[in-house]
Amino acid sequence: MFEKNLRNALSDAKAGKDMSRTAGEGVWANYVRATCYPVQSDNVEQLDSKHKALVEELNTIKELSKEEKNSLRSAKSVISKAVSHGTDVWQRNDDGSIVSDDMGNPMPKGKSELQDAKTDFERMMGFIDAAQKKWDSETRDVFTNDELNKIWAGLAVLADQVIEARNTQE
């Protein structure tokens, strides 16, 4: 439904006309509409599936360039974080309905609004969750012993600091 608008926005972005950081305009709004309307994904796997189908659909309209694919991945990254944190991507009216623009299109929250809406706790949990998913991923790089030692050292320092903070609160 919103795929053609997204395809046009991606083409406009090449010409420097993209307003993707503004809610309701450009690549951002049309990506959110194409992947999250009428129902926002419950988990990242569902979003991944919608993203892959969208990329295939856009490629049938016109093959995506590397820059266009990167633009879509960037939008997907923000939406993935919102989905993992259970954050609604839509602007809402007082009655809870989705705000629509003058053309009747659903209005997503702005990219920066979704990125800024998280507390420090949510951000840290998001990093931990993302690190765990990457660790479990079949596409993860094989780490050298030096890299594993650096990961372990970083985790150990953080764990010590969290334990210390918890103990001072008790």
Side-chain angles (χ1 to χ4, degrees):
M1 181 167 153
F2 298 104
E3 290 82 358
K4 286 187 181 182
N5 291 342
L6 177 55
R7 189 74 201 91
N8 290 336
L10 285 165
S11 295
D12 287 348
K14 274 188 178 175
K17 300 176 190 169
D18 184 40
M19 300 293 173
S20 65
R21 288 198 158 285
T22 306
E25 300 177 23
V27 174
W28 170 251
N30 286 297
Y31 180 84
V32 177
R33 290 173 184 142
T35 57
C36 298
Y37 189 81
V39 178
Q40 182 174 327
S41 298
D42 291 328
N43 57 54
V44 177
E45 291 76 23
Q46 286 177 349
L47 179 64
D48 285 343
S49 175
K50 288 180 181 180
H51 175 84
K52 286 177 186 171
L54 176 62
V55 168
E56 287 176 21
E57 174 71 22
L58 293 172
N59 271 322
T60 64
I61 297 170
K62 179 183 172 195
E63 188 171 350
L64 293 165
S65 69
K66 182 179 178 182
E67 293 83 13
E68 291 170 334
K69 288 177 184 176
N70 286 340
S71 184
L72 294 175
R73 274 194 287 273
S74 172
K76 178 186 168 213
S77 173
V78 175
I79 297 301
S80 291
K81 290 175 187 171
V83 166
S84 357
H85 289 95
T87 303
D88 187 8
V89 298
W90 300 108
Q91 293 180 32
R92 298 280 177 177
N93 291 310
D94 291 338
D95 65 1
S97 62
I98 297 174
V99 172
S100 295
D101 66 13
D102 294 340
M103 297 176 61
N105 296 317
M107 291 291 292
K109 292 178 181 173
K111 197 180 220 180
S112 354
E113 184 181 354
L114 285 175
Q115 290 171 324
D116 294 342
K118 297 178 200 132
T119 65
D120 288 342
F121 172 77
E122 291 169 326
R123 280 190 193 93
M124 291 186 79
M125 291 306 296
F127 290 130
I128 291 167
D129 186 47
Q132 183 65 56
K133 284 179 183 166
K134 188 59 184 174
W135 185 264
D136 295 340
S137 169
E138 294 176 9
T139 60
R140 175 177 56 85
D141 294 337
V142 176
F143 297 116
T144 65
N145 279 338
D146 185 47
E147 290 171 326
L148 289 170
N149 285 334
K150 287 178 182 178
I151 291 170
W152 176 253
L155 290 171
V157 168
L158 180 60
D160 284 343
Q161 291 172 341
V162 170
I163 289 169
E164 186 178 316
R166 190 184 67 192
N167 289 340
T168 61
Q169 289 181 356
E170 290 178 351

